[in-house]
Amino acid sequence: MRIDVLTQFPELFDGPLRTSLLGKAIEQGVVDVRLHDIRTFAKDKHHITDDNAYGGGPGMVLKVEPIFAAYDSLPDGPKRAVVLSPAGRRLDRDLVNEFAAESNLVLICGRYEGVDERVLEGLPAEEVSIGDYVLSGGELPALVIIEAVTRLIPGVVGRAESIQQDSFESGILDYPHYTRPVEFRGMTVPEVLRSGDHAAIERWRHEAALAKTKKNRPDLLQQ
Ligand code: JB8
């Protein structure tokens, strides 16, 4: 899978793309992430990528020409283009699954108040948001998509089970986990987890997962 990222801040991606599971997947060539600095596609002397909004109002808008120039520099062929924006469709498991089925993704990182609407009209690109909070730009949301999608590529996550057992795959949150030591500052590991009784452990985990879901995500139990 190839992911092209259009951004004003490619350096923001350096650490995350070199680290841990994502770093390994990229090193192994399972996913090919290409960073494109939008600034280098601005034709004017000062490489200006943003401007004031028509109609007035605070903040700057990402210009349309450098984004199109960057997009047009990509290899031909079908690719799904996504603009990260707080005004987008909310990212969830279904959308991550859709993205993982693509062979080419283009992630366009908005900044400031957003991107010129003609980017959405002309590419065509869809707007996606990772949640209802304001950020300084779409770079961190793009990294969220890259990591979530990469985890779904076969072979990236060691055991298929660890994906299945993760939160959300069962419709409720994951059960609580413990490792050594058996006691820490007076807090102990539940006895049942050390009993060796696998049926009892499974029952305990299911009940604990339900309790956690009721407390933290009651909306999941409504569905
Ligand atoms: C400024 O919540 B989000 C998101 C928020 C943002 C921008 C992009 C994405 C740009 N705030 O996914």
Side-chain angles (χ1 to χ4, degrees):
M1 175 175 203
R2 171 169 164 159
I3 304 177
D4 290 277
V5 182
L6 278 45
T7 172
Q8 294 176 295
F9 300 96
E11 66 273 19
L12 259 172
F13 293 80
D14 291 349
L17 294 183
R18 271 191 288 103
T19 307
S20 191
L21 183 127
L22 206 42
K24 198 161 290 171
I26 289 169
E27 199 179 281
Q28 291 174 349
V30 178
V31 62
D32 182 10
V33 180
R34 311 277 182 104
L35 303 170
H36 308 275
D37 188 342
I38 295 171
R39 236 175 264 276
T40 65
F41 292 93
K43 294 287 179 291
D44 64 294
K45 186 170 83 176
H46 295 105
H47 301 288
I48 290 171
T49 52
D50 54 17
D51 203 347
N52 301 312
Y54 275 114
M60 307 291 274
V61 175
L62 212 56
K63 288 168 68 61
V64 64
E65 304 104 305
I67 293 176
F68 266 76
Y71 185 88
D72 289 342
S73 78
L74 303 178
D76 286 333
K79 36 193 178 285
R80 189 155 173 186
V82 172
V83 173
L84 286 314
S85 151
R89 168 181 170 188
R90 172 81 140 272
L91 185 71
D92 60 12
R93 183 162 46 114
D94 291 339
L95 189 51
V96 172
N97 276 316
E98 280 185 32
F99 290 158
E102 305 280 345
S103 55
N104 285 83
L105 265 187
V106 183
L107 303 179
I108 302 169
C109 302
R111 275 263 150 184
Y112 320 110
E113 302 315 305
V115 304
D116 190 303
E117 191 71 13
R118 288 167 292 187
V119 171
L120 300 164
E121 259 177 64
L123 275 187
E126 57 197 299
E127 287 177 286
V128 171
S129 166
I130 62 162
D132 292 339
Y133 30 83
V134 177
L135 299 167
S136 306
E139 282 76 10
L140 297 181
L143 280 167
V144 166
I145 291 178
I146 293 168
E147 176 159 310
V149 164
T150 300
R151 291 180 56 84
L152 293 181
I153 299 174
V156 169
V157 172
R159 300 196 314 168
E161 273 173 63
S162 4
I163 295 184
Q164 272 306 311
Q165 287 188 1
D166 275 343
S167 287
F168 307 115
E169 289 304 322
S170 62
I172 62 173
L173 301 183
D174 204 0
Y175 53 77
H177 303 269
Y178 296 87
T179 186
R180 282 183 282 256
V182 72
E183 191 197 328
F184 176 74
R185 297 191 181 176
M187 299 176 285
T188 54
V189 175
E191 192 69 46
V192 59
L193 298 181
R194 295 182 287 138
S195 67
D197 181 342
H198 295 290
I201 290 170
E202 211 169 305
R203 278 196 304 275
W204 182 90
R205 283 179 168 169
H206 181 66
E207 288 309 313
L210 272 179
K212 197 186 270 270
T213 305
K214 197 171 163 190
K215 174 169 174 271
N216 292 345
R217 293 294 306 278
D219 57 298
L220 292 179
L221 297 176
Q222 297 310 115
Q223 295 163 15

